[in-house]
């Protein structure tokens, strides 16, 4: 037993690397970014898998990116981050044709992908997902999602025309005999 020996505690602080990821706005775009942070002692050095050395890397496509952060004491931490993208903004127009040359046709934009909510602008000025009261003709809708991704869809409304009635061949009926 040593007399006068006390407990010796050494606190070790490990550094960590983290980041704020901004995903790609529209499918196929290259506008994602990542900004690294660290719990170490400033100033920091950043070594990204892209070869960049800034705290923020930008112009990123969907992929996995890694960074190694070195703080002022030479301590290092590494971390990987995933940049994603939304599904392709796509859709189609479902149309109901006008009847008897009336303006009673309609169209509805059916959408998927992108980032909701969507905004609509039809060629005749309406701003909802559906438009009613359409006469025969060509119509289109420009759809914009919440990230500004755009899609142009079109449809044609036809009319059934004026109905015709056919009762068969003419027949003369004798009023006295009924034939």
């Amino acid at each position: 037993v040593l007399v006068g020996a006390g407990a010796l505690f050494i606190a070790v602080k490990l550094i960590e690397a983290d980041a704020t990821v901004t995903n790609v706005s529209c499918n196929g775009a290259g506008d994602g970014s990542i900004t690294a942070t660290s719990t170490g002692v400033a100033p920091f050095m950043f070594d990204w898998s892209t070869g960049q050395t800034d705290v923020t890397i930008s112009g990123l496509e969907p992929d996995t990116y890694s960074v190694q952060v070195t703080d002022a004491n030479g301590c290092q931490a590494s971390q990987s981050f995933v940049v994603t993208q939304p599904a392709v903004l796509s859709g189609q127009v479902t149309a109901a044709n006008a009847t008897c040359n009336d303006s009673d046709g309609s169209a509805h934009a059916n959408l998927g992908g992108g980032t909701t909510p969507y905004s609509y602008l039809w060629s005749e000025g309406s701003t909802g997902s559906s438009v009613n009261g359409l006469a025969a003709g060509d119509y289109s809708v420009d759809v914009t999602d919440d990230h500004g991704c755009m899609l142009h869809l079109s449809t044609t409304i036809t009319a059934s025309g004026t109905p015709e009635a056919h009762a068969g061949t003419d027949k003369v009926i004798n009023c006295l005999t009924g034939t």
Side-chain angles (χ1 to χ4, degrees):
V1 175
L2 293 173
V3 176
L8 179 63
F9 293 99
I10 299 175
V12 176
K13 182 178 180 185
L14 301 176
I15 77 165
E16 296 176 2
D18 201 1
T20 301
V21 175
T22 302
N23 291 315
V24 172
S25 61
C26 299
N27 188 283
D31 60 355
S33 66
I34 306 173
T35 301
T37 59
S38 180
T39 59
V41 178
F44 303 102
M45 292 189 322
F46 303 93
D47 184 17
W48 290 95
S49 55
T50 61
Q52 294 171 282
T53 58
D54 293 326
V55 65
T56 299
I57 56 174
S58 57
L60 304 178
E61 296 179 352
D63 205 347
T64 300
Y65 300 89
S66 59
V67 65
Q68 181 174 343
V69 180
T70 305
D71 76 357
N73 293 329
C75 297
Q76 296 181 330
S78 297
Q79 188 65 269
S80 293
F81 307 97
V82 177
V83 174
T84 64
Q85 68 183 344
V88 174
L89 178 60
S90 62
Q92 63 183 12
V93 175
T94 304
N97 291 323
T99 56
C100 299
N101 291 326
D102 287 336
S103 293
D104 62 352
S106 63
H108 178 78
N110 303 294
L111 301 174
T115 305
T116 59
Y118 307 117
S119 63
Y120 307 84
L121 180 59
W122 290 88
S123 53
E124 49 71 76
S126 294
T127 58
S129 62
S130 295
V131 60
N132 298 304
L134 299 178
D138 294 326
Y139 297 90
S140 64
V141 60
D142 290 319
V143 180
T144 306
D145 78 357
D146 196 46
H147 288 168
C149 309
M150 298 183 72
L151 177 66
H152 181 82
L153 301 170
S154 59
T155 192
T156 299
I157 302 291
T158 61
S160 60
T162 304
E164 296 180 18
H166 296 283
T169 58
D170 290 343
K171 187 172 185 178
V172 177
I173 300 175
N174 183 319
C175 291
L176 296 176
T177 62
T179 58

